[in-house]
Amino acid sequence: MGIQYFIKSTLVGIPIGLAFLDIVGYVARVEGSSMQPVLNPGEIDCDYVFLSRWSVRNLEVNRGDIVSLVSPKNPDQKILKRVLALEGDTVSTMGYYKPYVTVPEGHFWIEGDNTGNSLDSNIFGPVALGLVTARATCIVWPPSRWQILPSELPQKRRPLIQRDQKSS
């Protein structure tokens, strides 16, 4: 009876667990310094964040959101960056080949909070919305850093022109 119960529980539990990870979200380790000081603020600190797949299921992101996406430069790598501008917005760039960019339809502009130490849209330009996989909603580890991650733009990096006032 014990082995049958274990097998039945496993056969039910695995699909439910996989569905949860695929639909709702998962916890991921944040590596690197590109999102400092918001994430990984110290030299030794390593934050773990909850990545909500549910919140981006319709590819809706807002200015200020911290999102996980497939790297446009390396499809095997996931990156975590802040959304600075949405389609139709115009941004001033930092190191991109054009000083100003109007974000095309179906794209958005992302940057790391640690400007100058981030591979982001200033390197590869506007990013297709289809590359977004999840939105970082909170820091879950270490316990001393538990917090909700607010969707806010750094004052110095706001779009020059916003197509609407959606979440700024």
Side-chain angles (χ1 to χ4, degrees):
M1 177 124 184
I3 192 94
Q4 288 177 330
Y5 178 75
F6 175 76
I7 291 171
K8 285 181 184 179
S9 297
T10 302
L11 291 175
V12 170
I14 288 176
I16 290 172
L18 291 174
F20 182 86
L21 293 174
D22 193 47
I23 296 169
V24 178
Y26 58 99
V27 173
R29 180 179 184 198
V30 178
E31 296 178 1
S33 61
S34 73
M35 288 302 295
Q36 286 179 340
V38 174
L39 298 172
N40 294 349
E43 293 178 19
I44 300 172
D45 292 343
C46 182
D47 289 333
Y48 287 79
V49 296
F50 181 74
L51 295 173
S52 171
R53 288 184 180 270
W54 186 259
S55 67
V56 296
R57 66 192 176 282
N58 296 324
L59 296 180
E60 291 178 15
V61 296
N62 297 309
R63 292 179 199 95
D65 285 352
I66 298 174
V67 296
S68 171
L69 61 143
V70 175
S71 169
K73 290 286 187 193
N74 179 0
D76 295 329
Q77 182 183 26
K78 293 244 176 98
I79 59 176
L80 198 69
K81 305 293 177 194
R82 186 176 304 277
V83 176
L84 289 190
L86 302 173
E87 59 184 42
D89 293 350
T90 301
V91 293
S92 65
T93 67
M94 297 175 10
Y96 193 57
Y97 75 96
K98 294 182 190 177
Y100 303 98
V101 171
T102 299
V103 180
E105 186 176 337
H107 290 72
F108 62 122
W109 189 268
I110 56 164
E111 290 184 7
D113 287 354
N114 190 355
T115 337
N117 192 21
S118 176
L119 295 174
D120 53 31
S121 287
N122 287 299
I123 303 295
F124 41 73
V127 176
L129 279 169
L131 295 178
V132 173
T133 58
R135 183 172 64 87
T137 59
C138 57
I139 298 173
V140 297
W141 194 261
S144 62
R145 301 239 329 117
W146 284 349
Q147 63 184 292
I148 301 293
L149 293 169
S151 289
E152 56 190 22
L153 288 174
Q155 194 63 35
K156 296 177 183 177
R157 294 301 299 147
R158 294 182 179 276
L160 298 173
I161 300 171
Q162 293 182 8
R163 74 177 157 88
D164 62 18
Q165 293 305 314
K166 180 182 178 184
S167 189
S168 51

